[in-house]
Amino acid sequence: MDKVQLVVRLLFGLMLVVFGSNYFLHFIPQPEMTPESGAFMGALVSTKFYFPLIKSIEILVGIALLTNKKVALASVVVFPVMVAAFLYHLGLDVGGIGGAAVAVLFNIFLLYANRKKYQPMLA
């Protein structure tokens, strides 16, 4: 279990750092969007704060996971972001749901692996 947790933590952390950094550095080309998904993304981009905030959170959580610091907290912080990404793909871009599904599964696995750390909060 420890080796699986290590692999999941590192892969999830790397995923978050790479895709979070891509927002700022543009090293991965963006796929074509449907009109509906383009309208949705355009609305989010027009807020001027949503994506910089979310992508900064992704990068910080990714770094925490890669360095094995505050993994339980990082997993909780990024969970709503991963669920939102999954639901976006489920509703507006089913073709791209694979990466979001993997991220949600990695996140759920890490939440489960650290469940004992949440018990005092849930008591």
Side-chain angles (χ1 to χ4, degrees):
M1 178 75 162
D2 288 339
K3 289 183 181 182
V4 174
Q5 187 174 347
L6 172 68
V7 170
V8 168
R9 182 176 54 79
L10 293 176
L11 287 175
F12 190 38
L14 185 62
M15 179 187 289
L16 290 171
V17 169
V18 167
F19 290 108
S21 298
N22 184 57
Y23 173 77
F24 297 105
L25 304 175
H26 311 289
F27 51 85
I28 301 172
Q30 295 297 322
E32 287 289 322
M33 292 187 183
T34 65
E36 295 84 10
S37 64
F40 179 76
M41 288 301 212
L44 294 178
V45 168
S46 71
T47 65
K48 305 266 192 273
F49 75 90
Y50 184 79
F51 274 112
L53 174 64
I54 294 302
K55 296 304 181 177
S56 296
I57 289 170
E58 285 182 17
I59 293 167
L60 292 172
V61 166
I63 291 169
L65 295 176
L66 290 172
T67 59
N68 201 24
K69 304 290 183 194
K70 306 289 183 188
V71 173
L73 175 62
S75 298
V76 169
V77 167
V78 81
F79 187 67
V81 176
M82 295 300 101
V83 170
F86 179 79
L87 292 175
Y88 160 78
H89 285 289
L90 184 64
L92 296 172
D93 181 26
V94 177
I97 201 166
V102 168
V104 168
L105 290 174
F106 282 173
N107 202 171
I108 290 170
F109 177 84
L110 291 176
L111 288 167
Y112 180 78
N114 289 289
R115 67 191 176 282
K116 290 180 182 173
K117 294 182 180 178
Y118 308 124
Q119 286 178 344
M121 179 175 63
L122 301 172

